[in-house]
Amino acid sequence: MNITRENIDALNAVVKVDIAKEDYSDKVEKILTDYRKSANIPGFRKGHVPMGMVKKQYGKAVLVDEVNKLLQDALGKYLTEEKLDVLGNPLPKAQDDLDWDAEAFSFEFELGLAPEFEVELKNKKAITHYNIVADDKMINDQVEHLQKQYGKIVSQDEVTEASEITGTFTNEEKDIDNSTMITLDKLKGKANPKKFIGSKVGDTITLKTKGLFNDDHDLMNALKVPHDDAHGLDIEVTFTITEINERELADLDQELFDKLFGEGIVTSVTELKEKIKEDSEKQFKQQGDQKLLNDVTENLIENTKFDLPASFLQKWMQTAGEEEMTEEQAKEEYEKSEKSMRYQLIEGKLIEKHNLQVQFEELKAHSMEMIKGQMAQFGQMNPSDKELEDIAARILGNQDEVKRMSEQLMSQKLLNLYKTEANTKTKDITYDDFVKEFYS
């Protein structure tokens, strides 16, 4: 067997594999001999079928199968030994005139090669790492929310700004008939809440769905309509009131503190606010870190310049999926996934350069922490080490779970790398301002 490579350019190559008779003949002969021993052909005793008849019936299929196995093994070994960093998979060049009656065969494969490039983390313009803080307004709002959540429900005669209003939205044409509870702070503008003020049980209010709620998701839930239907929906609905309640705020006392955090952990309003701030900012840190990760990723893609073997990759995409694509579909898919491909190459370069690895002990520790968190949600605060290790062992036996956790841990390692190596600056921002600026 002989394998040669012709480099078309820096990103494309053709590998030629020449297979001679001596490369496959012994293997094919052995398989056919085994077939002869077990073949059941009418008119012949088992094991006494003439070899010529066995070759005539099975020879071509066995030859094709063995040559293909030999070809794939040889190509894989060649790519490994030559340390070729290929994108996608080798693409066999079409051979319509291949003669399987010949003794020697030649096959050609197109390769898309990964580009050579360097990654620079020390970008000129600093990337902002947002430190999201819980301000006094947010903390006070959260305290009031907890008081409402644990407060008493008191029946009311008529609707006020603080009412929880239960009723039924209806529209015959759109087949809407849904009972729900709404609060006036969810309604958009001043005119919509004003229609409810002073209303009593049994009253029916006519409303326009367009601009009814601040958030389309609230409209979707209130009317029980699909998300796509709720967006831009402009019809008239009626809301018939069946119940009016108001939340009487729970007292900020030890009984409430114990319900929220466990006995004796919080003993004053000051400690309550400190706990809310601590817990909130712990969650906000994840959002700030995710924003940094996204921004560094975008910056690396934008500023790390290299070419890709686009034509090869589009051709490869045509046959790589479960269903074949047309040239146009493959081009469209390539354009959608090009940024992702670029980042995968950049990420791979960073992982190799900085020797980032996920060790088994890290996976085990991560899975045990994850289990402890899940068990705590169900009130199991102190599981034994044996319990944790047994559950972790089952999780680590699932390859999909191992892959998912490995990706999480590697993402964290990359984030830590960006924090120390990239040019970043820290900026404090309130949660409300963060949401308005980036997610409104």
Side-chain angles (χ1 to χ4, degrees):
M1 184 184 302
N2 185 42
I3 303 180
T4 55
R5 182 175 83 247
E6 178 189 357
N7 291 329
I8 308 303
D9 54 38
L11 299 173
N12 295 275
V14 173
V15 168
K16 183 180 181 184
V17 183
D18 294 320
I19 297 179
K21 184 177 181 179
E22 57 267 24
D23 296 321
Y24 62 83
S25 58
D26 288 349
K27 184 70 173 173
V28 168
E29 196 68 29
K30 182 180 185 308
I31 292 172
L32 291 174
T33 299
D34 291 341
Y35 274 18
R36 185 184 179 215
K37 293 175 183 176
S38 58
N40 284 313
I41 296 178
F44 296 94
R45 283 186 297 148
K46 189 174 181 179
H48 291 272
V49 180
M51 180 56 88
M53 186 172 287
V54 172
K55 285 184 178 180
K56 185 176 180 180
Q57 189 161 345
Y58 301 109
K60 183 68 67 66
V62 171
L63 172 65
V64 171
D65 189 46
E66 288 307 311
V67 168
N68 277 325
K69 285 180 185 175
L70 190 64
L71 187 60
Q72 295 304 319
D73 289 347
L75 188 59
K77 186 178 179 183
Y78 175 80
L79 296 178
T80 301
E81 289 177 349
E82 293 293 310
K83 297 181 180 176
L84 290 178
D85 192 0
V86 298
L87 302 179
N89 290 317
L91 281 178
K93 297 183 80 171
Q95 288 180 279
D96 296 331
D97 58 347
L98 183 61
D99 181 10
W100 286 104
D101 291 323
E103 292 188 346
F105 309 99
S106 289
F107 301 91
E108 290 185 338
F109 293 85
E110 295 178 61
L111 302 182
L113 305 176
E116 291 292 331
F117 62 93
E118 293 297 325
V119 182
E120 181 53 65
L121 280 173
K122 293 288 185 187
N123 45 298
K124 291 180 182 177
K125 186 178 179 182
I127 297 171
T128 302
H129 184 197
Y130 291 94
N131 178 42
I132 307 171
V133 297
D135 61 351
D136 290 342
K137 180 183 178 301
M138 196 215 120
I139 293 169
N140 291 333
D141 287 347
Q142 184 64 17
V143 170
E144 186 177 336
H145 171 75
L146 291 169
Q147 285 181 278
K148 284 182 178 179
Q149 185 180 346
Y150 288 88
K152 294 177 183 176
I153 297 176
V154 181
S155 179
Q156 301 291 306
D157 293 329
E158 61 180 47
V159 175
T160 66
E161 288 184 355
S163 296
E164 294 180 355
I165 312 155
T166 300
T168 303
F169 278 106
T170 56
N171 176 288
E172 287 187 16
E173 184 185 348
K174 294 289 185 180
D175 198 26
I176 293 170
D177 185 6
N178 185 56
S179 180
T180 188
M181 189 276 286
I182 62 172
T183 55
L184 298 187
D185 62 314
K186 299 285 187 182
L187 301 182
K188 194 170 186 176
K190 295 180 180 178
N192 286 320
K194 197 172 180 180
K195 291 179 181 180
F196 284 85
I197 301 296
S199 298
K200 296 179 171 57
V201 171
D203 288 352
T204 297
I205 300 159
T206 301
L207 302 155
K208 288 277 191 182
T209 57
K210 187 175 182 181
L212 179 56
F213 286 92
N214 292 311
D215 189 335
D216 278 345
H217 289 91
D218 290 329
L219 180 65
M220 178 180 74
N221 293 328
L223 304 184
K224 276 290 180 285
V225 294
H227 181 273
D228 292 343
D229 292 349
H231 186 69
L233 184 66
D234 188 6
I235 61 171
E236 201 170 75
V237 293
T238 59
F239 184 82
T240 302
I241 299 174
T242 57
E243 194 176 332
I244 305 168
N245 296 307
E246 194 169 312
R247 292 269 176 174
E248 188 178 278
L249 298 183
D251 292 331
L252 293 172
D253 56 16
Q254 194 60 48
E255 183 183 354
L256 177 62
F257 302 154
D258 290 347
K259 278 182 184 176
L260 292 171
F261 302 106
E263 191 172 343
I265 293 174
V266 169
T267 59
S268 67
V269 175
T270 301
E271 288 182 10
L272 170 65
K273 290 184 176 182
E274 288 173 352
K275 190 80 169 79
I276 290 171
K277 182 177 175 66
E278 179 189 341
D279 291 347
S280 297
E281 291 183 350
K282 194 179 291 183
Q283 293 179 27
F284 296 162
K285 183 178 182 299
Q286 295 176 358
Q287 295 183 53
D289 283 350
Q290 187 60 53
K291 181 73 173 71
L292 177 65
L293 188 62
N294 294 344
D295 289 347
V296 174
T297 297
E298 287 295 325
N299 184 270
L300 287 170
I301 293 169
E302 181 70 25
N303 294 299
T304 308
K305 304 296 184 184
F306 54 83
D307 292 325
L308 289 171
S311 296
F312 168 83
L313 289 169
Q314 289 173 39
K315 192 187 294 186
W316 169 68
M317 283 179 170
Q318 285 184 252
T319 57
E322 291 181 8
E323 295 183 9
E324 286 198 16
M325 296 183 188
T326 63
E327 281 187 40
E328 193 61 35
Q329 287 172 326
K331 183 179 179 182
E332 188 178 328
E333 185 62 30
Y334 173 77
E335 288 170 355
K336 285 181 188 174
S337 56
E338 183 183 358
K339 278 179 73 171
S340 173
M341 288 184 193
R342 287 183 176 278
Y343 183 65
Q344 284 179 11
L345 289 169
I346 293 167
E347 187 182 84
K349 185 77 75 173
L350 289 170
I351 289 170
E352 181 183 9
K353 181 179 178 180
H354 295 276
N355 194 29
L356 302 181
Q357 298 177 14
V358 175
Q359 305 291 348
F360 176 78
E361 288 305 317
E362 292 176 293
L363 279 171
K364 183 179 176 182
H366 179 70
S367 64
M368 289 173 73
E369 281 302 312
M370 181 179 70
I371 295 160
K372 279 170 71 175
Q374 290 173 347
M375 293 177 81
Q377 291 177 10
F378 294 96
Q380 295 175 264
M381 306 305 293
N382 295 299
S384 68
D385 288 344
K386 185 176 187 311
E387 278 182 290
L388 293 172
E389 289 192 3
D390 288 347
I391 299 172
R394 289 199 295 273
I395 291 173
L396 295 171
N398 182 324
Q399 290 305 307
D400 290 337
E401 279 296 310
V402 170
K403 182 175 182 292
R404 185 181 65 79
M405 289 192 296
S406 296
E407 288 171 352
Q408 287 177 346
L409 288 172
M410 184 55 72
S411 182
Q412 186 59 50
K413 287 175 183 284
L414 285 164
L415 175 63
N416 293 338
L417 176 69
Y418 298 157
K419 285 180 178 179
T420 56
E421 296 294 327
N423 182 13
T424 63
K425 61 180 180 182
T426 302
K427 178 182 177 181
D428 289 345
I429 188 171
T430 67
Y431 180 73
D432 284 346
D433 287 344
F434 181 80
V435 171
K436 284 176 189 173
E437 189 167 347
F438 301 111
Y439 299 107
S440 59

